[in-house]
Amino acid sequence: MITNKFTMTMLSKSSNESFARSCVAAFASQLDPTLEEISDIKTAVSEAITNCIVHAYCEKIGKIYINGELLDNNTIKLKIRDTGCGIENISQAMEPLFTTVGGERAGLGFAVMQSFMDSVKVRSVKDKGTTVVMTKRISPRYKING
Amino acid sequence: MSVKINVTGEVVTAYLGGELDHHSAKEMREEIDSAVELNMPTLLILDFKDISFMDSSGIGLVMGRYRNLQKSGAQMHITNIPQGIYKVMKLAGMERLAQLEKGE
């Protein structure tokens, strides 16, 4: 069951990378995560947003849609969507070190998302866009003073 | 984003600060590269003490500098790596390219 949710739309400007991960981190903080869990979520979001900017829109300006949900089993579910060029071969794109742009990109975006979140699903249609859905369960912590 | 460069003999140390993502990496990279080009060090130290966030763009930055240094046979050390960032470095296997040293 969904206990809370948010939706935001932003332009695919690189200056929004920091803004997007900070927003998601602030939303996730309602689940009382550890600093490490927050850092994991911020890193995964940053990878997904950077993919939209660098790959989906090829540094041109488009819209990025972010949906966040808190589920009643202490889980955060994030959906990051673009309407860019799409990924032709998803399994190849998800291979560590695979990159289409070379140079200064490590090709580790999806590897980081998979390592830092519990699940990562990617749907993509060529010339229509890509949606990444990620979940992470936050370890419940016993609260002192109730 | 900030880069402070210190040159001692044949060692160039770049003290990096702020958030290291795709947005900030370009400027950071240019400052490091111009210091390396000017001083031709045998050792480049990237100090991560004041880096508050890093994603795989930081790995791209480290890999790119490693490739440049290889041309002259220079070494690279990465020091004072905060815990969360060390996790990304290890995931990417950066210990194969540079000596990694964790921060406090």
Side-chain angles (χ1 to χ4, degrees), chain A residues 14 17 21 40 46-47 103, chain B residues 19 22-23 55-56 67 87:
Chain A
S14 66
E17 290 160 4
R21 63 179 177 260
D40 288 353
S46 200
E47 300 296 350
Chain B
E19 298 193 314
H22 160 250
H23 179 68
D55 63 17
S56 72
R67 275 197 293 268
K87 207 170 149 181

Side-chain angles (χ1 to χ4, degrees), chain A residues 52-117:
Chain A
C52 298
I53 294 169
V54 175
H55 299 288
Y57 296 119
C58 297
E59 312 276 353
K60 294 188 192 88
I61 298 302
K63 281 182 183 165
I64 301 174
Y65 305 88
I66 307 176
N67 281 280
E69 289 174 359
L70 302 183
L71 309 178
D72 57 4
N73 60 348
N74 233 45
T75 297
I76 182 165
K77 182 176 176 184
L78 297 166
K79 187 156 89 175
I80 294 164
R81 183 169 71 87
D82 65 69
T83 55
C85 67
I87 305 169
E88 278 192 71
N89 187 336
I90 293 176
S91 53
Q92 187 183 43
M94 292 181 85
E95 274 171 30
L97 305 178
F98 176 83
T99 181
T100 51
V101 289
E104 295 285 331
R105 301 301 312 163
L108 287 170
F110 281 120
V112 168
M113 287 182 241
Q114 285 174 319
S115 170
F116 288 7
M117 301 295 277

Side-chain angles (χ1 to χ4, degrees), chain B residues 85-100:
Chain B
I85 292 168
Y86 190 76
K87 207 170 149 181
V88 185
M89 294 265 189
K90 287 293 282 184
L91 173 74
M94 286 298 101
E95 71 278 9
R96 293 198 296 266
L97 309 189
Q99 183 181 312
L100 305 186

Side-chain angles (χ1 to χ4, degrees), chain B:
Chain B
M1 179 321 275
S2 70
V3 181
K4 280 186 207 132
I5 303 287
N6 180 55
V7 184
T8 311
E10 294 187 333
V11 180
V12 166
T13 306
Y15 296 92
L16 311 178
E19 298 193 314
L20 174 41
D21 61 9
H22 160 250
H23 179 68
S24 63
K26 184 170 177 277
E27 212 175 313
M28 227 176 240
R29 168 172 94 219
E30 285 168 357
E31 295 209 25
I32 299 167
D33 286 352
S34 66
V36 167
E37 215 168 289
L38 189 70
N39 298 288
M40 302 287 281
T42 55
L43 174 65
L44 171 68
I45 300 173
L46 299 179
D47 188 300
F48 272 67
K49 184 170 163 283
D50 293 323
I51 291 287
S52 54
F53 172 85
M54 184 189 88
D55 63 17
S56 72
S57 304
I59 299 300
L61 180 130
V62 170
M63 285 167 67
R65 307 297 65 69
Y66 174 77
R67 275 197 293 268
N68 288 351
L69 290 173
Q70 271 194 316
K71 291 173 201 158
S72 61
Q75 302 284 305
M76 181 167 61
H77 290 181
I78 306 172
T79 58
N80 292 313
I81 308 167
Q83 190 61 46
I85 292 168
Y86 190 76
K87 207 170 149 181
V88 185
M89 294 265 189
K90 287 293 282 184
L91 173 74
M94 286 298 101
E95 71 278 9
R96 293 198 296 266
L97 309 189
Q99 183 181 312
L100 305 186
E101 182 210 305
K102 265 195 245 186
E104 284 168 17

Side-chain angles (χ1 to χ4, degrees), chain A residues 31-34 37 73-74 136-142:
Chain A
L31 295 177
D32 194 24
T34 61
E37 286 164 338
N73 60 348
N74 233 45
K136 188 177 181 71
R137 185 166 189 266
I138 303 303
S139 51
R141 287 197 280 174
Y142 292 104

